[in-house]
Amino acid sequence: MNLLSPRDRSDTGTFTGLLEKTRYDGRAMHHADDQPRLKNRLVVDTVAEGLLELLEVRGVKYFFGGGAGTDFPPFIEAFAKRAAHGRTGGLRPITVSHEITAVAMAHGYTMVTGEPQAVMVHTIAGTANALGGLINATRARVPMLLTAGRTPITEMGHPTSRDQGIHWAQESFDQAAMVREFVKWDYELRRGEQLETVVDRALAITRNAPAGPVYLTLPLDVVGDRLSPLDYSSTPRLQPSSPTRPETASLQHAAHVLARATNPLVVTSSLGRDPEAVGALVTLAERLAIPVVESWASHLSFPQDHPLHQGFDVGALIDTADVIIAIETDTPWFPKHAQPPEDATVIQIDDDPLYERYPIRGFPTDIGLAGRARSTLVALDAALDLTSPNPDVIESRRQRWTASHDRRRAAWKSEGDGVSHDAPLDYQWISRCIGETLSPDDIAVTEISLDRTQVSFTQPGTFFNHAHSAVLGWGPGAALGAKLACPDRTVVCAVGDGSHIFGVPTATHLLSRAYDLPVLFVIYNNGGWQRTRDATRAYAPDGWAIRQPSMPLCGLEPSPRFELICEANGGYGEMVEDPSELPAALARALHVVKHEKRQALLNVIAK
Ligand SMILES: Cc1ncc(C[n+]2csc(CCOP(=O)(O)OP(=O)(O)O)c2C)c(N)n1
């Protein structure tokens, strides 16, 4: 057996980090373009070390360990050994005290950088806790390598054989079954020799469009095993496929339909996931004067101050549109409330216009333009060169939508003004105050709470809302991940009291302090789950629940002093009950975040 017990392990003498760069000059080692293909040699003690080395050379920067357990020792050893050798750069371990926070942090990091990171959780126990976050990452198309240990295989006879009750009870027949519906690929590492293929395949698949998490299980017996010197390619031989775009005939068809449209409409939720796609949409929208609605926006997909931006409620516009371009949106409208006319044409632009992983989704796809949205929009714009839309129609449309944009913004402003003195505070007023505090480059992360009618985001990559799966508790961890990715930018996390609790506050605030991630948390504290109350009100407008002073199953009272949880972790906290006090409180909190580099939390008492 090739197993390595901690006692057997050679000490640091054999370890120099050790990536021996070896060039092979054999014919097979050259690219077709005659560039030499280099092989590196990995010389480490264990498979776990080898895995970390490979993740590092493949550009993974963080290894979020969420709830390390008895399956982690080979990795703990490996990181300790790296630290003992002064290897503090490269792949960095982050100790996260809850799996919900770990997955959300990785999600938050990747949503602003596009670079997938690694998360490791404990067997079935950690996987169960990570599952909600994994669902969010899947629906948000966030690439991520989620790994989990597995209980030892052998009951006796090996250094890593089972010796605790959990080793029997934490085994399942098919551990990946728990997550399989929500990952693109799963696998169990069987042997160290597979490391290069497994790591490269995992990272290629997770990034391949549409991106999404992958799951790799790591049996203790395997990762604790000795790894013989391993030669691997200096650049991964498994790459995600290059971005695609639809064939020319389909683009021309769509362009002709669009050029003839009288009342076209763009609806998008997540185009801004690719910040560079936003400019392509602006170009197309301006060319034909197409109004844009950000429906259930998870990202900033169109500058809010652009005259063609028509807000967030597609219901008001959908029933008069003759051509709808649904771009990166799983839910372009709510058919229960409003539908496009029967003879409207629906063009869907998406990596996966049919949303194949959604069990049911009946939005028409008269023309499905599959591929990277950015490229499709540019190509669609080019295809319009062969059409001849009526310039008068476009000009009158432009004027109409510009006026509508101005009216809409004026109405939002007066709505915000109208609640500016309300106490408890109104969500609109809280959002307005946050909006006035933000600089154009600051990052806002929200779950449900931040009301975009009161904030004007203009730059891609500045606004992030939860995925439509809305497994709540994502926001606080995602904000920490965003701050980890962008230490020089201000990150504001705007969440309800319910979402803050779902987000494991103790873990959140501990992490913020431990890793110097000063985020401003603003809690919209209405003492309960307002969306659930609203849903009950809609379900039974004249029912029993609405007449109760407090609806059953919806309250979070007595409300905790959320600000004290932040203070308990070295942060700054304030409770705000007076609407006129909020701007000054935000300024104080932001000062702490920006200049003292400490986290801050405002517990805003809301209605
Ligand atoms: C993990 C999880 N549990 C339950 C829900 C159901 N749910 C949807 S909205 C909501 C209320 C959230 O409360 P809060 O964040 O305080 O926002 P509010 O609705 O009060 O504005 C709940 C419980 C969910 N989406 N996710």
Side-chain angles (χ1 to χ4, degrees):
M1 279 309 297
N2 203 15
L3 272 175
L4 188 73
S5 84
R7 279 188 312 279
D8 301 336
R9 220 163 277 161
S10 58
D11 197 9
T12 52
T14 59
F15 186 83
T16 46
L18 278 173
L19 306 177
E20 285 176 15
K21 202 171 244 185
T22 313
R23 186 177 155 176
Y24 289 76
D25 286 325
R27 237 178 335 134
M29 297 298 168
H30 284 73
H31 283 293
D33 61 6
D34 216 25
Q35 290 297 309
R37 177 165 285 140
L38 298 179
K39 280 269 182 182
N40 289 351
R41 173 158 291 181
L42 190 56
V43 184
V44 291
D45 283 338
T46 65
V47 173
E49 281 178 53
L51 177 62
L52 300 186
E53 295 294 338
L54 273 179
L55 290 175
E56 179 172 301
V57 296
R58 294 311 192 222
V60 176
K61 296 200 176 62
Y62 291 100
F63 184 95
F64 297 92
T70 50
D71 44 355
F72 274 61
F75 292 98
I76 295 170
E77 271 290 286
F79 274 118
K81 189 170 164 186
R82 290 159 70 96
H85 286 81
R87 292 185 58 200
T88 47
L91 184 70
R92 191 176 165 208
I94 305 279
T95 311
V96 192
S97 39
H98 200 291
E99 294 81 358
I100 286 179
T101 312
V103 175
M105 275 185 87
H107 184 147
Y109 184 93
T110 304
M111 78 189 178
V112 293
T113 61
E115 300 164 8
Q117 304 302 313
V119 181
M120 181 165 175
V121 297
H122 173 57
T123 67
I124 55 171
T127 302
N129 275 357
L131 180 56
L134 192 73
I135 293 171
N136 285 336
T138 296
R139 294 305 193 218
R141 297 181 178 173
V142 165
M144 180 186 298
L145 171 58
L146 178 66
T147 67
R150 282 214 55 188
T151 198
I153 297 164
T154 54
E155 293 184 281
M156 56 187 286
H158 294 275
T160 53
S161 291
R162 300 177 178 194
D163 58 5
Q164 301 194 35
I166 56 167
H167 289 159
W168 280 265
Q170 283 189 350
E171 185 175 31
S172 65
F173 287 105
D174 181 2
Q175 185 167 317
M178 209 192 307
V179 300
R180 190 162 291 131
E181 182 169 350
F182 296 101
V183 295
K184 295 178 68 184
W185 171 85
D186 68 85
Y187 189 68
E188 178 153 305
L189 185 70
R190 314 243 167 86
R191 302 180 59 87
E193 297 90 313
Q194 295 182 290
L195 273 179
E196 180 183 8
T197 306
V198 168
V199 166
D200 287 347
R201 184 160 166 74
L203 293 177
I205 292 177
T206 197
R207 289 159 63 209
N208 211 37
V214 294
Y215 183 67
L216 177 67
T217 51
L218 302 166
L220 184 58
D221 311 81
V222 177
V223 290
D225 204 355
R226 182 182 287 281
L227 184 67
S228 305
L230 186 74
D231 290 340
Y232 66 94
S233 190
S234 56
T235 49
R237 302 293 309 277
L238 286 161
Q239 299 281 358
S241 307
S242 66
T244 54
R245 56 165 236 216
E247 60 170 10
T248 309
S250 307
L251 288 163
Q252 283 172 355
H253 179 202
H256 280 285
V257 169
L258 207 48
R260 281 200 306 271
T262 313
N263 214 8
L265 174 68
V266 166
V267 187
T268 181
S269 305
S270 310
L271 177 69
R273 179 168 34 224
D274 170 11
E276 288 181 44
V278 174
L281 177 58
V282 170
T283 304
L284 182 77
E286 284 179 350
R287 178 167 184 171
L288 294 181
I290 312 175
V292 178
V293 174
E294 290 189 87
S295 175
W296 260 62
S298 60
H299 297 73
L300 182 279
S301 297
F302 200 74
Q304 266 184 256
D305 57 353
H306 194 287
L308 290 168
H309 194 288
Q310 300 300 322
F312 312 97
D313 177 14
V314 74
L317 305 179
I318 199 82
D319 55 359
T320 51
D322 57 355
V323 176
I324 293 135
I325 316 176
I327 310 173
E328 297 256 339
T329 171
D330 56 5
T331 335
W333 61 86
F334 299 107
K336 181 179 168 184
H337 298 308
Q339 298 233 46
E342 214 18 67
D343 57 354
T345 302
V346 180
I347 302 169
Q348 296 215 30
I349 296 177
D350 202 295
D351 276 316
D352 170 21
L354 292 175
Y355 283 77
E356 291 182 8
R357 300 300 304 152
Y358 283 45
I360 193 75
R361 179 179 181 274
F363 301 104
T365 310
D366 300 309
I367 305 174
L369 300 180
R372 181 165 70 170
R374 184 206 316 175
S375 318
T376 303
L377 290 168
V378 170
L380 193 54
D381 186 51
L384 283 167
D385 290 347
L386 301 176
T387 65
S388 32
N390 182 334
D392 296 336
V393 171
I394 295 176
E395 199 38 48
S396 79
R397 207 154 59 205
R398 197 183 309 281
Q399 286 175 18
R400 180 158 63 94
W401 288 118
T402 300
S404 160
H405 169 88
D406 292 344
R407 276 198 306 277
R408 209 177 293 277
R409 280 171 77 94
W412 290 338
K413 181 168 182 328
S414 72
E415 276 174 26
D417 291 346
V419 293
S420 60
H421 299 295
D422 290 7
L425 279 75
D426 193 279
Y427 271 36
Q428 287 194 317
W429 179 244
I430 305 172
S431 303
R432 164 83 71 85
C433 295
I434 292 176
E436 286 176 357
T437 317
L438 292 175
S439 303
D441 194 37
D442 291 348
I443 294 174
V445 178
T446 188
E447 259 173 314
I448 303 177
S449 309
L450 192 71
D451 185 334
R452 292 243 339 244
T453 67
Q454 302 301 314
V455 186
S456 189
F457 293 99
T458 55
Q459 294 183 18
T462 53
F463 168 78
F464 298 94
N465 196 3
H466 61 81
H468 291 180
S469 47
V471 181
L472 294 180
W474 162 89
L480 293 179
K483 184 68 185 172
L484 188 66
C486 307
D488 298 331
R489 290 170 69 183
T490 298
V491 177
V492 177
C493 176
V495 291
D497 48 340
S499 298
H500 188 247
I501 293 172
F502 283 129
V504 198
T506 321
T508 301
H509 296 295
L510 186 158
L511 257 287
S512 172
R513 181 196 212 174
Y515 288 95
D516 294 325
L517 301 170
V519 166
L520 169 58
F521 299 90
V522 181
I523 311 298
Y524 292 52
N525 181 2
N526 56 20
W529 295 332
Q530 189 57 36
R531 303 309 137 130
T532 316
R533 292 179 186 136
D534 293 346
T536 309
R537 197 169 288 126
Y539 167 77
D542 306 313
W544 296 100
I546 200 167
R547 282 178 271 160
Q548 301 269 331
S550 149
M551 275 191 199
L553 303 179
C554 297
L556 293 172
E557 280 166 331
S559 182
R561 295 285 301 273
F562 290 97
E563 70 279 19
L564 300 184
I565 305 174
C566 183
E567 284 182 13
N569 288 281
Y572 174 83
E574 262 192 66
M575 184 161 79
V576 182
E577 295 176 279
D578 179 345
S580 66
E581 265 299 308
L582 184 55
L586 279 165
R588 283 190 291 273
L590 267 179
H591 182 86
V592 170
V593 166
K594 285 184 179 172
H595 302 292
E596 297 178 26
K597 307 283 182 206
R598 288 190 295 137
Q599 60 183 315
L601 187 149
L602 296 183
N603 175 12
V604 184
I605 305 305
K607 60 178 171 184

